[in-house]
Every structure is written in C-alpha cells, then in structure tokens.
Amino acid sequence: GGQTGTIFLDNSGGHQISVDSPILINADVLSAISGTAGKFMLSYYCTVDQPNATLSNSANNDKILMSATGALT
C-alpha cells in the first residue's frame, strides 16, 4: 500500500487495452492509450484502506490510481 511508480508502455501495435476494477483511470486517458500506436508513460499510486489488505480481497476498497502521458515522440 502507498506504492507509487512509473510504467513505460510501448503500444507499437496499437492494441486495445482494458483495466480491471481496482484500477481507476480517466476514460479519456484510457481511450487515448488504447488502440493508439505509440509510447506512453503511466504513473500509478496504490491506496490502502486497511492494514494487510490486498487488491485481490474484494472486501476492501483498495484502488490503483493511474494517469498517462500523451504519445511520446
């Protein structure tokens, strides 16, 4: 919990991307990186609402907040 990080995404094939329910990302941002060929930087922050919680435990409200850049040139 409380982890943050950056992910380099090389979607050179313009593949469709979907996210699972614990991941919160703006629909416009997801549309911009999904189906669009390009390279992107994604940032994330993992929330925790209880001690020793895991994202696989559906009883908690832990989420991964994500943001992304536009296509990098």
Side-chain angles (χ1 to χ4, degrees), residues 8-73:
F8 174 75
L9 171 65
D10 185 352
N11 192 3
S12 60
H15 301 285
Q16 293 296 317
I17 297 170
S18 62
V19 296
D20 204 355
S21 60
I23 298 175
L24 301 177
I25 187 168
N26 179 284
D28 292 338
V29 173
L30 182 58
S31 293
I33 63 174
S34 180
T36 303
K39 296 176 175 143
F40 306 88
M41 295 300 290
L42 285 66
S43 297
Y44 69 89
Y45 174 77
C46 181
T47 68
V48 166
D49 70 343
Q50 57 186 299
N52 302 315
T54 65
L55 289 172
S56 61
N57 177 356
S58 61
N60 65 52
N61 294 319
D62 299 339
K63 301 292 181 191
I64 299 173
L65 312 175
M66 294 200 76
S67 63
T69 65
L72 304 171
T73 56

